[in-house]
């Protein structure tokens, strides 16, 4: 089992979650974080830290967010570790309200988040 970062994180990237992770399981992409399932110990500490409720236990994933289980695993292999909180992306507050953001996910680690 693992925890999964879901669609709500895209274009927000508040990073509050990173601060509480005891095993440094978060990986940083241009406009989203993911959790490395090989590192996650299911401690649940990150769940309440996310202002947009983007982090879900694998067993609680709704059908609409199931693809993020595989996406977290795949992208965690490509993206660097993040262990410190940083400023959220520009307009994160506005994007926090958006429901459909999957098409905006940037996967190339060399891209700049926007
Ligand atoms: Fe994303 Fe929430 Fe963390 S927006 S970076 S999962 S605090």
């Amino acid at each position: 089992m693992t925890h999964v970062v879901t669609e709500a994180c895209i274009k927000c990237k508040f990073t509050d979650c990173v601060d509480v992770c005891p095993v440094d399981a978060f990986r940083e992409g241009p406009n989203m974080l993911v959790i490395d399932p090989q590192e996650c110990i299911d401690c649940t500490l990150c769940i309440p830290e996310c202002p947009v409720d983007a982090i879900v236990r694998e067993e609680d994933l709704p059908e609409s967010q199931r693809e993020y289980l595989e996406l977290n695993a795949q992208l965690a292999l490509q993206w660097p570790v993040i262990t410190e909180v940083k400023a959220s992306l520009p307009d994160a507050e506005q994007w926090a309200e958006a429901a459909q953001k999957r098409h905006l996910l940037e996967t190339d680690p060399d891209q700049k988040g926007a």
Side-chain angles (χ1 to χ4, degrees):
M1 289 294 168
T2 183
H3 286 37
V4 180
V5 183
T6 63
E7 187 171 18
C9 181
I10 297 171
K11 289 188 81 72
C12 290
K13 212 162 89 166
F14 285 104
T15 76
D16 304 64
C17 52
V18 168
D19 207 27
V20 297
C21 183
V23 293
D24 297 340
F26 285 92
R27 305 289 179 264
E28 182 182 16
N31 66 0
M32 179 186 185
L33 299 194
V34 293
I35 293 172
D36 185 341
Q38 307 287 350
E39 301 289 346
C40 179
I41 56 170
D42 291 323
C43 71
T44 75
L45 290 175
C46 57
I47 291 178
E49 296 302 313
C50 178
V52 291
D53 298 326
I55 305 171
V56 181
R57 298 184 330 158
E58 178 181 348
E59 54 267 48
D60 295 335
L61 270 175
E63 195 54 43
S64 66
Q65 301 293 303
R66 291 260 6 135
E67 72 167 310
Y68 287 87
L69 178 61
E70 184 59 29
L71 267 175
N72 275 239
Q74 279 178 7
L75 294 170
L77 298 173
Q78 304 168 31
W79 290 353
V81 174
I82 174 171
T83 58
E84 290 183 5
V85 174
K86 56 165 74 172
S88 59
L89 292 177
D91 303 324
E93 297 293 341
Q94 280 154 271
W95 284 106
E97 307 292 323
Q100 304 286 332
K101 299 191 283 185
R102 171 66 181 87
H103 62 293
L104 300 170
L105 175 61
E106 296 169 11
T107 57
D108 181 348
D110 295 326
Q111 280 176 286
K112 292 247 188 301

